[in-house]
Amino acid sequence: MQFTLAEIWAHTGLFARSVIFTLGIMSIASLVVMAERMIVFRKTRSDSRNFAAKMGAILAKGDLNTAANTNLGKDVGHLGRVINSGLTAYRISPNNKDVAVESVARALERQAQREVQSMKRGLGLLATVGSTAPFVGLLGTTMGIVNAFQLMAAAGSGGLGTISAGIAEALITTAFGLLVAIPAVMAYNFLQGWVDARSVDISESSNEFLDVVARHLGGGAHSSNAA
């Protein structure tokens, strides 16, 4: 037997092949999540930037009532959905500064939590693949080595040459497990860092918007909107 992937696969047992197929499914699932999250993150970042540019121009004028009644469409990104929830709360809040500010703050916090949770969708699968794939591969290796020693005992002969083929067959599952786990862990850390950064952006934007609401209500401008 030559130690090539084709030869090793040809001599691989049913259990080892089952492990490799399992790892293959885990790899495909993690790759799908990576691609889907990257597409979603890129779009929501672009939409959020566009929303911030348009809504920021309105809020810079201090015209909160106009901002509350402005519809910038559905594609506003994570930031737009959070700020829109605050604008909705402001629009329906009573003509009382403390109550209105508290209502807007709660609306911003609730939507921010929803957005962060939505951005984390699929990351749990990457974490699971990254943490379990090496152990799945190790399981195949362990059983392969057991089979190799069983064959050596049945043949009644020993030596490295007798079991080298079986050990090579066994170790290939560990290598495959690592090949599946490493990209999943790297992708998870990258995407989780991206989510954490966007969470900070949402928090800062929410606080800035809440300051605008507080200043606006302090000037008594909400009365005309409530009317």
Side-chain angles (χ1 to χ4, degrees):
M1 173 182 174
Q2 296 180 353
F3 294 108
T4 63
L5 289 178
E7 288 293 332
I8 293 174
W9 175 257
H11 290 81
T12 300
L14 179 61
F15 186 84
R17 290 190 178 188
S18 299
V19 169
I20 291 175
F21 277 123
T22 300
L23 290 171
I25 293 172
M26 295 170 68
S27 177
I28 292 172
S30 63
L31 290 174
V32 169
V33 171
M34 293 178 205
E36 188 268 344
R37 287 292 88 188
M38 291 299 294
I39 292 172
V40 170
F41 288 175
R42 183 175 181 179
K43 184 178 187 305
T44 189
R45 181 175 61 180
S46 176
D47 291 342
S48 293
R49 287 178 175 177
N50 292 334
F51 174 86
K54 296 176 182 177
M55 185 58 68
I58 298 175
L59 293 177
K61 301 176 182 178
D63 194 353
L64 196 57
N65 293 327
T66 300
N69 293 287
T70 299
N71 184 6
L72 296 179
K74 295 182 179 180
D75 296 330
V76 293
H78 57 275
L79 183 60
R81 288 187 289 271
V82 172
I83 300 302
N84 280 339
S85 69
L87 289 170
T88 300
Y90 165 80
R91 190 166 54 247
I92 64 176
S93 62
N95 189 24
N96 181 291
K97 177 182 177 181
D98 294 335
V99 175
V101 169
E102 184 66 24
S103 176
V104 171
R106 287 197 300 267
L108 292 170
E109 183 179 0
R110 285 194 300 268
Q111 188 61 36
Q113 291 176 347
R114 294 191 193 103
E115 293 301 322
V116 172
Q117 193 61 37
S118 176
M119 287 187 285
K120 287 183 177 180
R121 187 179 300 126
L123 298 190
L125 186 143
L126 290 179
T128 300
V129 170
S131 61
T132 60
F135 294 105
V136 174
L138 185 60
L139 174 62
T141 295
T142 302
M143 294 304 299
I145 292 176
V146 169
N147 291 335
F149 279 106
Q150 286 178 340
L151 291 174
M152 184 178 67
S157 59
L160 183 60
T162 305
I163 62 172
S164 59
I167 292 177
E169 168 193 326
L171 291 177
I172 197 67
T173 59
T174 293
F176 200 84
L178 293 174
L179 287 174
V180 172
I182 291 172
V185 171
M186 294 176 65
Y188 172 80
N189 289 333
F190 172 79
L191 296 175
Q192 183 62 51
W194 195 94
V195 172
D196 291 341
R198 299 296 78 74
S199 179
V200 172
D201 291 343
I202 290 173
S203 179
E204 291 179 349
S205 299
S206 296
N207 289 333
E208 290 176 1
F209 176 74
L210 199 58
D211 290 340
V212 172
V213 172
R215 289 196 299 268
H216 188 79
L217 292 178
H222 188 48
S223 59
S224 61
N225 181 64

